[in-house]
Amino acid sequence: MTIEQLNIDDANEQVLFADVALPVPVPMLYTYSIPAEYRGNIKERTRVIVQFGKKRIVTGIVEKVHGNRPEIYAAKPILEVLDTEPIITRMQMEVMKWMSDYYMCTFGEVINAALPSGLKLSSESRIQLHPHNDWNDSEYPFDDRELLILKALENKDSLTYKEAAEVIDQKSALRFIKSLIQKEVIIIYEEVREKYKPKIVKKIRLAASYAEDEKTLQSLFAELEKRPKQSDILLKYLQMVPVYQKPERNEAGIPKSTINEAGLSVSSLNTLIKNKVFEEFEEIVSRFEENTEVFEASPLSEIQEKAKQEILDIFEEKSTALLHGITGSGKTEIYISLIQEALDNGLQVLYLLPEIALTAQIVNRLKVVFGDRMGVYHSKFSDNERVEVWMGLLDGRFDFIVGVRSAIFLPFADLGLIIVDEEHENSYKQYEPAPRYHARDVALFLAHKHGAKTILGSATPSVESFYNAKIGKYGLVSINNRYGDAQLPQMVFADIRTEKKRKTATGNFSSVLIEALGGILEKKEQAIVFQNRRGYSNFITCDDCGYTPECPRCAVSLTYHQYKNQLNCHYCGHKEPVPITCPACGSQRIRTVGFGTEKIEEDLKLIFPEAKIQRMDLETTRAKYAYHNIIKDFEDGKIDILVGTQMVSKGLDFDRVSLVSVFDIDRMIHFPDFRSMERTYQLTTQVSGRAGRKDIAGKVIIQTGDPEQGILKLISEQNYSTFFDLEMQEREKFNYPPFSRMIKILVRSKDKKLSKDAADFLGNILKEDLGTYRVLGPHEPIINKIRDKYLMEIYLKIERKYNINSVKEKIKAAYLEALRKKSFSQVEFITDVDPY
């Protein structure tokens, strides 16, 4: 049925319309007409297929059904209804609308981020014979390849472009398809396909005639005496399935693949199926392993029990508690106990983690306690797996979810507790694309809507969260002792600058670090070396002319990756081979500058050739189970030294790690950002906390060019309170959060002057509306070009007492005024609220 046919009103019925939220960056909902066949069946918050623009087919969410025809445009009809029941809860819609308003993005952008890809449909162009024009009667001549396509379409209803190319044995059939369209013998249409596919397993069971009559089965064995392969299959099945003692087991059957895995003949099995000895059938199964065996959680220590009770007492008056427990204090055991209580009360629980790196180890700990009632949600899962968690939460299979930031979009119905572990982590912030949200803050709003309680946990809380606890907005619970007899590690500062002058360093390694690594290898213990830069080196340069390869699309030097022998841009993904000679002067004196995780890994392998050394960074963890495999190997003692970026700092718990090294702390301290001290303290304390977790004494070696820096003393003393007080003095002096709210505006275009002019124009409007002292910039960021677009930044610092919604309205008005200028029509204005 065509769109034109669907658009004809049924004269006997009232025409109904639906406001549909589309996963596209447009500010308004679109109204579509509801065809007669769907009237009475369409519900709010269900998915529908609609046409957007001339050709695009998208999946939308029905917001409202009504009888009001749109005045500005003719409503296109809904093409298909995908759900009989809502797949989004009313609460979800409210939270997503709040996100759209708060983070200054469109509702469509939030919908696009919220729905897993498997719940959004894709369309594919296909060709079919023209229904009204018979090609055999055509006056046009056809060449041999066109005839092949036409004959293939006679045998098949339709073909994709790829299938058409295969028919004529060409890489592309586009030229021939275009010619056949012009000759009016074929047409193109869009086939819409749902991405989610349930996992189907082929199974077999013994036919009822044999399963219900033992004598018939004995006769069958007599018949199969001369067919030993078939007889072996039958025996194997009866060993696995007691058909007479437990007939329900036969009804459930076994996977067909079991026969092949047992080394038995698949062709013989097919013969038995053909002869109706076995029945073959299909069953939809879960993609997640079933874990019916669960164990009780470990009992809490006296300190942990006290902390738990303090949290429960806080929940009597406040909805949010900040659990400030030093590294290794046993916060996870407290979480498990509180989760168990919430589930026992019939409530749902969301446990947020900052990165996938943490989920492998945490999930294993939680799985043994909560079994199959727990779902896991993160981006390394396939589209189908994420859809199964989504639908499993809707139908009640899961009532406890462990996930990363995107898990805040899941369809909770009765949420009672949210835990945001490592709440200070920057990984909770979404930067690209919109919505540029912070999962911790959205979790707090989500809890508010559900009337749920929230625990924010960290050994190094964000300044904002600790401030909220200090002023009484949150409750505060502190644990200052490690679990059991574990002690905080000893801190040692290695002066790498002095060692290089004295020539006691080995490359970029201080003698202190080399000696300590040698010692842990002798004792069969483990070490972690932390460097917050991946790659082999920062860049390469020519010693003769100083040439440094830069990204053609971004204003950054290319990072050298030795294992790929490649230069990479970490901003846009541009790659190019390493030059053998300098492209500028032809010199062969090209050397690497700086060091990343790959370089450190290589150097350590040269210094300690017998050691088992592994790297954990973005490059080595791209595969689905790469995190899990590396962490498991480290837990099992198959790795002696683990070299990694900040993902090694996050909540991991290893029994045999006695040494942690922070390789280059000065780079973090001097990073040009008002949060650099906070993040240095957090990262260093967190990675240091991996050392000495059980009964092994821990040591932390921090390499620095200036051991007298004040921040290092605070880190060595694990003195968060003093750090917080000093940081607050600086923040208040310069009016930074938490004493102000910040909004970042990014202006970008392909023309550098245009970006600057637009930013100046916008900045002047905002200074006039908000006051010059509230507007910082415009200025060029350190990296002023990414993906061929030139960037300018404007920061707004708004006092807490000032109405932030009023500020947002003024920003929107400024955008509209700027976009009225024709010269700025190609400029993008991007808003990041709370840019952290």
Side-chain angles (χ1 to χ4, degrees):
M1 187 180 290
T2 66
I3 287 175
E4 289 75 16
Q5 288 171 316
L6 285 170
N7 216 12
I8 298 172
D9 292 352
D10 187 337
N12 298 319
E13 292 189 53
Q14 177 194 5
V15 181
L16 291 177
F17 299 90
D19 292 338
V20 179
L22 305 177
V24 291
V26 292
M28 297 173 67
L29 302 178
Y30 274 73
T31 301
Y32 290 84
S33 64
I34 301 175
E37 62 195 277
Y38 295 128
R39 288 172 198 163
N41 297 323
I42 196 164
K43 295 182 180 179
E44 293 178 0
R45 294 174 284 112
T46 54
R47 291 175 304 151
V48 291
I49 299 174
V50 294
Q51 182 177 330
F52 179 66
K54 289 185 177 180
K55 292 184 178 180
R56 192 172 175 187
I57 304 293
V58 296
T59 307
I61 303 293
V62 176
E63 162 84 357
K64 184 181 178 183
V65 177
H66 56 82
N68 303 320
R69 186 185 300 274
E71 296 178 3
I72 302 173
Y73 54 87
K76 295 175 183 176
I78 287 172
L79 301 179
E80 192 173 341
V81 178
L82 295 175
D83 307 306
T84 56
E85 296 296 329
I87 65 154
I88 288 180
T89 67
R90 197 174 302 281
M91 199 77 76
Q92 268 181 296
M93 291 292 273
E94 291 178 15
V95 171
M96 287 192 282
K97 285 177 183 175
W98 173 82
M99 289 180 69
S100 171
D101 290 338
Y102 185 83
Y103 291 105
M104 297 185 69
C105 62
T106 65
F107 187 41
E109 287 171 316
V110 182
I111 290 278
N112 192 45
L115 284 179
S117 297
L119 288 178
K120 292 178 280 193
L121 280 84
S122 62
S123 60
E124 184 179 64
S125 295
R126 299 183 73 91
I127 58 171
Q128 69 175 47
L129 291 174
H130 199 294
H132 304 304
N133 298 337
D134 188 340
W135 69 272
N136 292 297
D137 298 331
S138 175
E139 61 186 34
Y140 295 105
F142 303 108
D143 73 12
D144 292 343
R145 288 175 182 141
E146 290 175 344
L147 285 170
L148 284 171
I149 292 172
L150 292 168
K151 287 175 181 176
L153 286 170
E154 284 191 330
N155 297 320
K156 201 172 180 182
D157 290 339
S158 65
L159 294 172
T160 65
Y161 284 15
K162 183 179 178 182
E163 289 169 340
E166 289 170 353
V167 165
I168 60 175
D169 196 23
Q170 296 286 310
K171 286 185 177 179
S172 171
L174 195 57
R175 177 163 61 93
F176 306 101
I177 289 171
K178 188 176 179 182
S179 171
L180 290 170
I181 292 169
Q182 289 171 344
K183 294 172 182 177
E184 298 183 331
V185 291
I186 68 169
I187 60 171
I188 297 177
Y189 72 97
E190 289 290 313
E191 180 191 53
V192 180
R193 297 175 293 110
E194 192 164 4
K195 290 182 179 178
Y196 171 65
K197 291 182 180 178
K199 184 178 181 181
I200 296 174
V201 172
K202 289 187 175 180
K203 302 182 85 174
I204 58 166
R205 59 187 165 218
L206 193 63
S209 56
Y210 299 106
E212 294 170 3
D213 188 341
E214 201 166 344
K215 289 183 179 178
T216 308
L217 184 61
Q218 289 173 353
S219 300
L220 176 62
F221 272 115
E223 290 176 24
L224 296 178
E225 279 185 3
K226 294 181 180 179
R227 300 182 184 88
K229 290 184 179 180
Q230 293 182 29
S231 182
D232 288 345
I233 291 170
L234 185 58
L235 280 168
K236 179 66 177 176
Y237 183 86
L238 293 172
Q239 286 171 1
M240 296 178 69
V241 181
V243 294
Y244 300 116
Q245 293 83 1
K246 295 184 179 179
E248 70 277 3
R249 290 275 300 276
N250 182 61
E251 189 65 25
I254 63 170
K256 189 178 179 182
S257 59
T258 307
I259 299 301
N260 187 36
E261 290 165 3
L264 301 173
S265 169
V266 176
S267 62
S268 297
L269 173 61
N270 290 332
T271 302
L272 289 169
I273 293 169
K274 184 180 176 182
N275 294 337
K276 298 185 178 179
V277 173
F278 285 105
E279 296 172 355
E280 185 176 11
F281 64 102
E282 292 182 343
E283 187 177 292
I284 296 175
V285 298
S286 170
R287 286 181 164 81
F288 302 100
E289 292 181 13
E290 291 191 3
N291 182 29
T292 54
E293 189 175 14
V294 295
F295 301 91
E296 284 191 16
S298 302
L300 299 182
S301 69
E302 187 177 334
I303 293 173
Q304 289 171 325
E305 191 64 56
K306 180 175 178 290
K308 176 190 166 184
Q309 191 55 52
E310 286 180 27
I311 291 170
L312 293 174
D313 291 343
I314 286 167
F315 285 162
E316 293 293 322
E317 298 180 5
K318 296 181 171 69
S319 59
T320 306
L322 175 63
L323 177 57
H324 177 208
I326 64 170
T327 56
S329 59
K331 294 186 290 294
T332 305
E333 283 71 24
I334 298 171
Y335 298 153
I336 289 171
S337 181
L338 289 164
I339 291 165
Q340 189 69 67
E341 286 192 13
L343 296 177
D344 289 346
N345 289 325
L347 300 171
Q348 295 173 322
V349 179
L350 171 61
Y351 187 160
L352 286 176
L353 294 163
E355 278 201 24
I356 299 165
L358 282 180
T359 61
Q361 198 173 47
I362 294 287
V363 164
N364 290 338
R365 292 174 68 178
L366 297 173
K367 198 77 174 172
V368 298
V369 179
F370 300 104
D372 292 333
R373 66 193 307 182
M374 183 184 86
V376 184
Y377 195 81
H378 59 60
S379 60
K380 287 289 183 181
F381 274 4
S382 69
D383 289 341
N384 286 328
E385 286 170 325
R386 277 181 282 172
V387 171
E388 287 199 11
V389 174
W390 183 290
M391 303 309 286
L393 196 57
L394 276 177
D395 63 26
R397 180 186 166 193
F398 303 122
D399 53 9
F400 171 34
I401 299 294
V402 180
V404 293
R405 63 175 181 251
S406 56
I408 54 111
F409 292 114
L410 286 168
F412 294 97
D414 196 10
L415 193 58
L417 176 65
I418 299 178
I419 297 167
V420 186
D421 199 11
E422 311 294 355
E423 65 84 27
H424 66 278
E425 271 291 344
N426 202 36
S427 304
Y428 283 124
K429 172 70 177 177
Q430 164 79 8
Y431 290 101
E432 287 288 344
R436 294 169 178 82
Y437 65 97
H438 197 292
R440 178 197 61 213
D441 299 343
V442 178
L444 289 167
F445 182 78
L446 182 65
H448 166 71
K449 294 298 291 183
H450 280 270
K453 305 299 183 183
T454 307
I455 301 172
L456 307 178
S458 176
T460 55
S462 64
V463 166
E464 284 83 356
S465 293
F466 204 72
Y467 174 76
N468 283 331
K470 285 286 190 181
I471 63 173
K473 185 176 179 180
Y474 304 159
L476 176 63
V477 177
S478 298
I479 309 177
N480 299 314
N481 302 95
R482 280 190 155 190
Y483 182 76
D485 299 322
Q487 299 297 312
L488 285 169
Q490 173 196 359
M491 291 266 185
V492 176
F493 297 103
D495 189 342
I496 187 68
R497 185 183 299 171
T498 301
E499 285 218 20
K500 283 188 173 182
K501 285 179 183 176
R502 294 175 179 170
K503 300 194 176 179
T504 56
T506 304
N508 294 303
F509 296 85
S510 64
S511 60
V512 177
L513 178 55
I514 294 296
E515 185 181 334
L517 287 169
I520 69 109
L521 292 172
E522 283 181 17
K523 291 186 286 185
K524 305 295 183 186
E525 293 171 358
Q526 294 173 303
I528 292 174
V529 177
F530 166 67
Q531 165 69 335
N532 206 21
R533 177 182 285 276
R534 60 191 170 100
Y536 185 85
S537 64
N538 299 7
F539 55 90
I540 63 171
T541 188
C542 173
D543 272 344
D544 288 329
C545 72
Y547 169 79
T548 296
E550 293 188 349
C551 176
R553 303 182 63 201
C554 309
V556 292
S557 57
L558 295 172
T559 302
Y560 174 47
H561 288 258
Q562 188 189 47
Y563 83 103
K564 293 179 180 176
N565 194 32
Q566 206 171 61
L567 298 174
N568 287 9
C569 175
H570 289 171
Y571 286 86
C572 72
H574 171 79
K575 300 171 184 176
E576 60 183 61
V578 179
I580 299 170
T581 58
C582 174
C585 70
S587 169
Q588 294 185 345
R589 291 172 20 111
I590 295 175
R591 65 182 176 88
T592 61
V593 177
F595 43 86
T597 49
E598 190 184 345
K599 167 76 169 159
I600 293 171
E601 178 193 25
E602 182 191 81
D603 288 351
L604 285 173
K605 284 179 176 177
L606 292 173
I607 298 168
F608 302 108
E610 302 301 317
K612 293 166 284 188
I613 300 167
Q614 174 66 50
R615 175 165 47 96
M616 188 165 84
D617 56 21
L618 187 63
E619 305 299 331
T620 62
T621 54
R622 291 187 187 277
K624 181 174 181 179
Y625 296 110
Y627 288 107
H628 175 80
N629 293 338
I630 293 173
I631 288 168
K632 189 174 186 310
D633 284 349
F634 198 50
E635 284 180 326
D636 294 345
K638 296 177 182 176
I639 299 168
D640 298 317
I641 303 172
L642 183 63
V643 180
T645 54
Q646 58 181 313
M647 62 179 65
V648 302
S649 72
K650 297 177 181 179
L652 301 174
D653 189 358
F654 302 110
D655 292 354
R656 289 179 283 182
V657 173
S658 59
L659 176 67
V660 166
S661 169
V662 180
F663 201 73
D664 180 20
I665 198 170
D666 298 335
R667 184 171 163 268
M668 292 189 287
I669 292 172
H670 300 299
F671 189 78
D673 186 278
F674 79 92
R675 293 185 185 275
S676 61
M677 289 299 178
E678 180 184 5
R679 289 184 176 147
T680 301
Y681 185 93
Q682 289 166 342
L683 258 177
T684 309
T685 303
Q686 290 287 337
V687 74
S688 300
R690 303 314 112 208
R693 302 282 286 194
K694 300 295 184 195
D695 53 355
I696 297 176
K699 179 186 278 190
V700 179
I701 296 175
I702 297 176
Q703 291 198 162
T704 174
D706 181 9
E708 300 303 316
Q709 296 173 89
I711 184 73
L712 299 183
K713 186 173 187 295
L714 295 173
I715 290 170
S716 67
E717 294 173 351
Q718 299 270 299
N719 193 341
Y720 180 83
S721 293
T722 303
F723 162 77
F724 173 79
D725 292 340
L726 292 171
E727 188 69 10
M728 288 296 285
Q729 291 172 22
E730 287 289 306
R731 300 279 182 98
E732 188 171 20
K733 182 179 177 181
F734 296 103
N735 193 32
Y736 278 112
F739 299 102
S740 65
R741 305 283 294 280
M742 292 194 72
I743 297 176
K744 171 185 169 184
I745 297 170
L746 183 70
V747 181
R748 69 185 182 194
S749 79
K750 291 189 175 182
D751 184 283
K752 186 174 183 178
K753 185 176 184 303
L754 190 60
S755 291
K756 184 180 185 310
D757 290 346
D760 288 340
F761 183 86
L762 188 70
N764 288 334
I765 296 173
L766 292 171
K767 285 172 184 175
E768 188 175 325
D769 289 346
L770 297 171
T772 304
Y773 64 96
R774 293 193 180 102
V775 182
L776 306 180
H779 65 265
E780 275 191 341
I782 296 170
I783 298 167
N784 69 343
K785 180 186 173 189
I786 295 177
R787 294 184 177 90
D788 289 326
K789 292 183 179 178
Y790 292 91
L791 314 179
M792 293 291 292
E793 289 178 345
I794 300 170
Y795 279 89
L796 307 182
K797 280 201 295 188
I798 312 298
E799 308 94 304
R800 285 277 168 184
K801 62 183 179 182
Y802 201 95
N803 187 334
I804 194 69
N805 291 325
S806 170
V807 174
K808 291 176 182 177
E809 290 305 316
K810 287 176 179 177
I811 292 171
K812 291 175 187 176
Y815 287 168
L816 288 174
E817 194 170 337
L819 290 170
R820 284 193 190 102
K821 290 178 69 71
K822 193 174 180 181
S823 57
F824 295 156
S825 61
Q826 300 302 311
V827 177
E828 295 175 78
F829 299 101
I830 296 161
T831 317
D832 188 356
V833 179
D834 301 332
Y836 295 101

